[in-house]
Amino acid sequence: MTAEQFPVNRALAIIGGKWRPQLYCTLEGGPKRFLELHRSIPGISRKVLTDQLKELERLGMVERIEFDEAVLHVEYRLTDAAYTLQPAMKGLCAWGEGN
Amino acid sequence: MTAEQFPVNRALAIIGGKWRPQLYCTLEGGPKRFLELHRSIPGISRKVLTDQLKELERLGMVERIEFDEAVLHVEYRLTDAAYTLQPAMKGLCAWGEGN
DNA sequence: TCAAGTAGTTACTTTAAAGTGCGTACTATG
DNA sequence: CATAGTACGCACTTTAAAGTAACTACTTGA
């Protein structure tokens, strides 16, 4: 079994990386707009936020919803598939806090 | 809260990366020697294996035991602290398998 | 004494993730 | 009509992780 096929790595390919856990936890509270996310996650650049949102959308973890308003209005939210990750995230979070 | 302080990232700093999950799972079955690990994890280079073992030792997750024999004999094993990660690892593993 | 097994080290290169700094196009408000 | 807010895109640089290939130093067995 190669590294990419390894189950834990398959999970880490989705929730791993510097910003995804925070992005995930922020969106857990409900849909958010782009700049709202940008303000909620101090230190992330707009470029990286865009990159991550696109990739998570491609992976089926995030949904992008564009509202038909005069002012450009976009919201991002977790898909149902993403919520199945919650137990695993809680486990990691608990360990990280205890350590 | 910066990315590094975020609880999930604190956990990922220890179990994250390309080879650590496999290393962790391999050592869960009991202590192993260097080349035994190298054979158990197809594709890893000796250099990367050394790097990871050293870093995990520094983080208190792995213990290096040198036996006083004629032939160089070293074993690596998980520390008690490392075993507290088991529930979180199982959670990730289960999600990765289900996905 | 030569090959093979033990556990690495060293120097260098490649790759992927993230960061920097700018520009775009639109609307709303004073 | 100028400024600020919306949501990005693009080109480039930096950094960290991993990979490559060769080398060290020891011992055992044929």
Side-chain angles (χ1 to χ4, degrees), chain B residues 33-35 46-47 50 54 64 72 74 76:
Chain B
R33 305 182 62 164
F34 182 81
L35 291 180
R46 290 194 303 279
K47 183 256 196 188
T50 310
K54 272 186 185 165
R64 182 185 186 276
L72 191 47
V74 177
Y76 295 91

Side-chain angles (χ1 to χ4, degrees), chain A:
Chain A
M1 191 183 267
T2 69
E4 300 75 39
Q5 296 170 324
F6 205 72
V8 178
N9 289 70
R10 297 230 303 267
L12 290 182
I14 288 173
I15 62 139
K18 183 165 182 178
W19 299 108
R20 285 191 196 174
Q22 277 172 96
L23 201 43
Y24 185 92
C25 291
T26 305
L27 285 175
E28 253 179 356
K32 300 266 179 306
R33 307 183 61 165
F34 183 80
L35 290 181
E36 207 176 346
L37 284 169
H38 188 245
R39 277 187 295 267
S40 300
I41 304 173
I44 198 172
S45 71
R46 289 193 306 277
K47 185 258 194 184
V48 170
L49 181 54
T50 309
D51 290 353
Q52 295 304 319
L53 286 169
K54 272 187 184 161
E55 181 62 8
L56 287 170
E57 199 190 349
R58 199 185 67 78
L59 292 166
M61 295 293 123
V62 159
E63 205 178 343
R64 182 185 186 275
I65 304 147
E66 194 164 329
F67 292 82
D68 195 16
E69 292 173 15
V71 177
L72 190 48
H73 182 170
V74 177
E75 287 191 359
Y76 295 92
R77 63 146 150 167
L78 296 184
T79 62
D80 292 348
Y83 278 104
T84 65
L85 263 164
Q86 243 178 358
M89 289 292 283
K90 287 206 178 192
L92 282 182
C93 198
W95 192 90
E97 275 165 351
N99 182 264

